[in-house]
């Protein structure tokens, strides 16, 4: 992977290719749009072009800030994953079964079903979380690296996955993979693996 990046970008063998590694959360993707520092709209990914408007439901999630601090871009879309912890999933299913209601097959289905409720008070009663990891439309980028962008999100009140790692090359990227693999059975949320992103956003743009 790193070798292909070097060749495509015509980088020398000694030039570093820093990466950011993060667990790929098995939840429901959501995009949050902020205008002039206020959260104004939230949507599912849908078909990649058009998603469902779930603004009122997303507003019930404590991990999602209602406002951004002064200095944030006028238009700022944050992308991330809504999920339910394994313990909360088990509690919800026990509650559903006790009430004679449908139980969910897995935490992802529970999170998706909770987000798509027509009544946001039902969503509010369910313990949903949000990890932020990327962006959509922005009027101005607040950082020039992936890691710097995540640090900025964290300083603005978003939750970043604590296992996210800055890697200075292939060896540390593989070590991050091993660490996530060992931790996977004990994580309180489901993952599909590890995502790697080139840290330098200028190189990302070229790629």
């Amino acid at each position: 992977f790193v070798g292909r990046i070097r060749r495509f970008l015509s980088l020398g063998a000694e030039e570093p290719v820093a990466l950011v590694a993060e667990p790929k959360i098995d939840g429901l993707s959501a995009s949050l749009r902020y205008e002039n520092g206020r959260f104004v709209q939230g949507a599912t990914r849908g078909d990649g072009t058009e998603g469902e408007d779930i603004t009122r439901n997303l507003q019930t999630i404590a991990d999602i800030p209602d406002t951004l601090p002064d200095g944030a871009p006028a238009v700022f879309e944050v992308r991330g994953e809504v999920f339910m912890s394994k313990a909360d999933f088990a509690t919800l299913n026990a509650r559903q079964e006790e009430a004679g209601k449908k139980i969910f097959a897995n935490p992802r289905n529970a999170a998706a079903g909770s987000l798509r409720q027509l009544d946001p008070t039902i969503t509010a009663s369910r313990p949903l979380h949000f990890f932020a990891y990327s962006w959509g439309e922005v009027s101005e980028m607040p950082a020039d690296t992936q890691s710097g962008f995540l640090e900025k999100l964290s300083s603005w009140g978003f939750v970043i996955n604590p296992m996210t790692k800055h890697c200075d090359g292939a060896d540390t990227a593989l070590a991050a993979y091993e660490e996530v693999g060992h931790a996977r059975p004990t994580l309180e949320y489901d993952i599909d693996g590890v995502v790697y992103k080139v840290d330098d956003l200028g190189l990302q743009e070229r790629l």
Side-chain angles (χ1 to χ4, degrees):
F1 176 61
V2 173
R4 289 202 309 273
I5 289 170
R6 280 189 195 287
R7 289 191 294 275
F8 184 84
L9 298 174
S10 301
L11 299 178
E14 301 307 311
E15 285 190 74
V17 177
L19 305 170
V20 172
E22 60 190 52
K24 186 176 185 301
I25 309 303
D26 185 19
L28 188 76
S29 297
S31 183
L32 321 174
R33 183 178 178 88
Y34 291 81
E35 293 178 358
N36 300 315
R38 288 182 56 252
F39 177 43
V40 296
Q41 189 174 47
T44 64
R45 182 173 57 194
D47 61 7
T49 302
E50 187 174 326
E52 297 171 64
D53 187 330
I54 51 170
T55 307
R56 292 178 64 208
N57 292 357
L58 289 170
Q59 286 171 328
T60 70
I61 300 176
D63 293 341
I64 296 176
D66 292 324
T67 59
L68 301 182
D70 292 342
V75 175
F76 192 64
E77 282 186 4
V78 178
R79 288 184 179 163
E81 206 80 7
V82 176
F83 66 98
M84 186 177 290
S85 76
K86 294 174 183 176
D88 289 336
F89 166 70
T91 300
L92 173 63
N93 259 356
R95 205 166 68 215
Q96 292 284 105
E97 191 168 23
E98 193 176 307
K101 296 179 181 177
K102 173 188 138 184
I103 63 171
F104 297 98
N106 52 56
R108 187 190 186 283
N109 284 2
S114 300
L115 264 189
R116 291 190 168 114
Q117 292 291 325
L118 295 177
D119 181 357
T121 61
I122 296 177
T123 306
S125 72
R126 295 182 179 174
L128 297 174
H129 302 278
F130 182 80
F131 280 140
Y133 57 73
S134 191
W135 62 91
E137 182 185 356
V138 294
S139 55
E140 179 187 356
M141 279 299 290
D144 55 10
T145 61
Q146 183 78 30
S147 53
F149 176 82
L150 295 177
E151 287 170 12
K152 182 64 74 174
L153 286 184
S154 180
S155 74
W156 287 349
F158 293 95
V159 180
I160 308 303
N161 189 288
M163 296 201 75
T164 299
K165 287 278 192 303
H166 181 272
C167 308
D168 57 15
D171 290 342
T172 48
L174 285 170
Y177 170 79
E178 294 290 341
E179 182 181 349
V180 172
H182 286 306
R184 186 175 191 173
T186 60
L187 292 176
E188 258 303 297
Y189 44 83
D190 288 328
I191 64 172
D192 294 326
V194 176
V195 177
Y196 294 103
K197 300 169 185 173
V198 173
D199 193 37
D200 186 309
L201 298 187
L203 296 184
Q204 275 198 29
E205 187 68 26
R206 287 174 59 190
L207 289 164

